[in-house]
């Protein structure tokens, strides 16, 4: 294969050494999973990093989200799961991560993502790459999954099987018997 002089592939043949896919993942959806899978073919190693944010109410604890993520990425040899608090760029610098990979679902995601990408580059020179979400999942978000599931809607096919089970357990346990 002919390579141009500005070929940016690293020694192992992929574009990047270590990339991070950050997020809340409350819970992980099939849209996230699609991004992880595609990121895993671009980077030698992908770290899925769960933000520890105690000020934001969540359905699943960070430990539960990590457990679910580990279960759903178990078949990928080059994806691991971790958590972080504080600035993402500090986590990147501490772990030798030079790129952030995120999914972009629609134009509505773009403004905020652009702002964050530029800020992260300004703070620490960490690059952000966007993967355009699989159109099958472009409407999908963790919040919407939780809302639909809470009111009894069918979210199968939108989240991994392990998440579906946990979601049903959690929502039936928290359901108010008075309605
Ligand atoms: O899944 P989310 O909640 O949309 O993910 C947002 C996340 C975790 C990627 C973003 O909030 C983040 O990077 N937070 C860490 C704090 C930080 O670095 N803030 C400055 C961003 S420029």
């Amino acid at each position: 294969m002919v390579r141009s002089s500005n070929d940016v592939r690293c020694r192992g043949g992929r574009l990047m050494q270590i990339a991070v896919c950050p997020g809340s993942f409350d819970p992980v959806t099939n849209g996230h999973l699609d991004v992880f899978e595609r990121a895993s073919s671009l980077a030698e190693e992908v770290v899925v990093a769960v933000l520890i944010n105690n000020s934001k109410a969540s359905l699943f604890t960070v430990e539960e989200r990590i457990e679910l993520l580990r279960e759903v990425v178990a078949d990928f040899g080059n994806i691991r799961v971790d958590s972080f608090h504080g600035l993402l760029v500090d986590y990147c610098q501490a772990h030798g991560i030079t790129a952030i990979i995120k999914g972009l679902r629609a134009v509505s995601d773009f403004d905020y993502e652009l702002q964050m990408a530029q800020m992260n580059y300004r703070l620490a020179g960490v690059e952000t790459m966007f993967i355009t979400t699989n159109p099958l999942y472009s409407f999908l978000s963790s919040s919407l999954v939780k809302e639909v599931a809470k009111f009894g809607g069918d979210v199968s096919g939108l989240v991994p099987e392990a998440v579906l089970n946990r979601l049903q357990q959690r929502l039936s346990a928290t359901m108010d018997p008075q309605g």
Side-chain angles (χ1 to χ4, degrees):
M1 180 192 295
V2 179
R3 291 190 176 184
S4 67
S5 56
N6 61 354
D7 197 318
V8 290
R9 269 172 285 198
C10 66
R11 266 192 307 162
R14 290 189 170 97
L15 276 172
M16 287 158 271
Q17 195 69 47
I18 317 179
V20 64
C21 292
S24 304
F25 308 117
D26 184 40
V28 58
T29 68
N30 284 348
H32 294 129
L33 205 49
D34 177 63
V35 172
F36 302 158
E37 180 172 359
R38 288 157 65 192
S40 79
S41 66
L42 295 174
E44 290 295 305
E45 186 182 1
V46 174
V47 182
V48 174
V50 183
L51 174 67
I52 302 169
N53 182 357
N54 296 326
S55 59
K56 191 172 164 188
S58 60
L59 183 62
F60 295 104
T61 64
V62 170
E63 291 71 26
E64 288 170 328
R65 283 179 261 158
I66 290 177
E67 195 184 314
L68 284 168
L69 281 161
R70 289 206 170 120
E71 195 172 331
V72 303
V73 300
D75 289 342
F76 297 96
N78 66 340
I79 306 182
R80 62 187 173 85
V81 182
D82 196 6
S83 59
F84 74 104
H85 61 267
L87 286 179
L88 176 60
V89 290
D90 288 342
Y91 176 82
C92 290
Q93 285 186 320
H95 293 83
I97 297 170
T98 51
I100 299 164
I101 298 185
K102 288 189 155 184
L104 208 51
R105 288 169 297 192
V107 176
S108 50
D109 281 343
F110 186 71
D111 281 350
Y112 187 49
E113 290 297 344
L114 178 69
Q115 235 184 327
M116 284 200 286
Q118 289 173 329
M119 178 60 91
N120 285 328
Y121 187 77
R122 169 74 171 72
L123 288 171
V126 178
E127 295 284 5
T128 301
M129 289 189 60
F130 295 108
I131 287 180
T132 51
T133 301
N134 183 329
L136 283 176
Y137 306 123
S138 59
F139 60 92
L140 190 56
S141 70
S142 299
S143 331
L144 213 48
V145 162
K146 285 182 283 192
E147 185 174 325
V148 171
K150 186 171 134 192
F151 293 111
D154 181 12
V155 292
S156 55
L158 302 179
V159 292
E161 204 67 29
V163 173
L164 195 62
N165 296 337
R166 279 292 188 93
L167 207 47
Q168 280 161 357
Q169 280 168 18
R170 178 58 43 91
L171 292 170
S172 58
T174 55
M175 204 68 101
D176 180 356
Q178 304 303 310

